[in-house]
Amino acid sequence: MILVIKQRNQVNGMGLEKLILVCVTDQKNCARLIKAGDTLAKSLAMKMKILSVQPSKEVQKLEDTYLEYLFNVCKSMNAEMKVYWGEDVNRIAIDYIRHECIRQLVVGEPEKMEPGNFVYEVHQAFPDLPILVVDRLNNHRNLSSF
């Protein structure tokens, strides 16, 4: 008899797979982030998820944003996209990263690395989490070289 055991990470008794998370806004050009995440996920043999956290005050029909376009980009790559609405965008994203046991993050280039900025706050919460930054010209670099 052969026993096959699938190794999984354990967090609070829940089995979780290794994930790459791509964080997007509701801008059409965020498709480049999803594509970079897909390439990275394939090279590392990991699964990719996409997250967009929008301020509650900006709740509107998805048809009025580029989120529907980004959903279609994700669908073409067999990737799951989650959209959350809330007041504390950074906290919602940090809680999601913690809950999903994310192993790599892909983000757009921030204007400034300062307190309150999304990338800054995520890096403060998870200093050992590898973060791939993709600029508007589609250049990729690790946060450490930012």
Side-chain angles (χ1 to χ4, degrees):
M1 181 167 130
I2 299 174
L3 179 62
V4 177
I5 300 173
K6 185 174 181 182
Q7 184 176 353
R8 303 181 90 181
N9 296 323
Q10 294 293 321
V11 175
N12 297 329
M14 298 172 53
L16 297 172
E17 56 194 324
K18 294 180 180 179
L19 296 171
I20 291 175
L21 182 66
V22 179
C23 293
V24 299
T25 63
D26 64 349
Q27 299 174 22
K28 188 174 183 177
N29 66 6
C30 284
R32 78 187 190 290
L33 304 176
I34 298 167
K35 292 173 185 172
D38 185 57
T39 300
L40 182 62
K42 287 177 180 172
S43 72
L44 298 174
M46 296 171 76
K47 186 175 178 183
M48 173 181 70
K49 288 189 176 187
I50 294 82
L51 175 67
S52 182
V53 183
Q54 302 293 316
S56 293
K57 64 184 177 187
E58 296 179 21
V59 171
Q60 52 190 313
K61 291 190 285 184
L62 289 179
E63 301 85 37
D64 295 339
T65 69
Y66 283 112
L67 288 173
E68 186 173 7
Y69 168 78
L70 296 176
F71 270 116
N72 289 328
V73 172
C74 294
K75 186 177 177 181
S76 72
M77 296 178 185
N78 293 319
E80 177 184 312
M81 180 175 175
K82 299 260 186 182
V83 177
Y84 290 92
W85 305 91
E87 297 310 314
D88 191 345
V89 172
N90 293 346
R91 176 60 40 210
I92 292 168
I94 288 169
D95 288 346
Y96 184 89
I97 292 166
R98 185 172 289 115
H99 176 73
E100 293 294 323
C101 198
I102 301 301
R103 297 299 183 100
Q104 173 92 35
L105 190 64
V106 178
V107 297
E109 183 177 39
E111 289 183 26
K112 296 179 182 178
M113 279 296 284
E114 60 187 16
N117 169 281
F118 174 76
V119 177
Y120 178 90
E121 295 298 330
V122 169
H123 182 60
Q124 292 299 306
F126 306 100
D128 296 328
L129 179 66
I131 300 176
L132 180 69
V133 177
V134 182
D135 70 16
R136 294 192 183 276
L137 299 175
N138 209 27
N139 297 310
H140 305 169
R141 58 185 169 200
N142 292 319
L143 182 63
S144 60
S145 64
F146 188 78

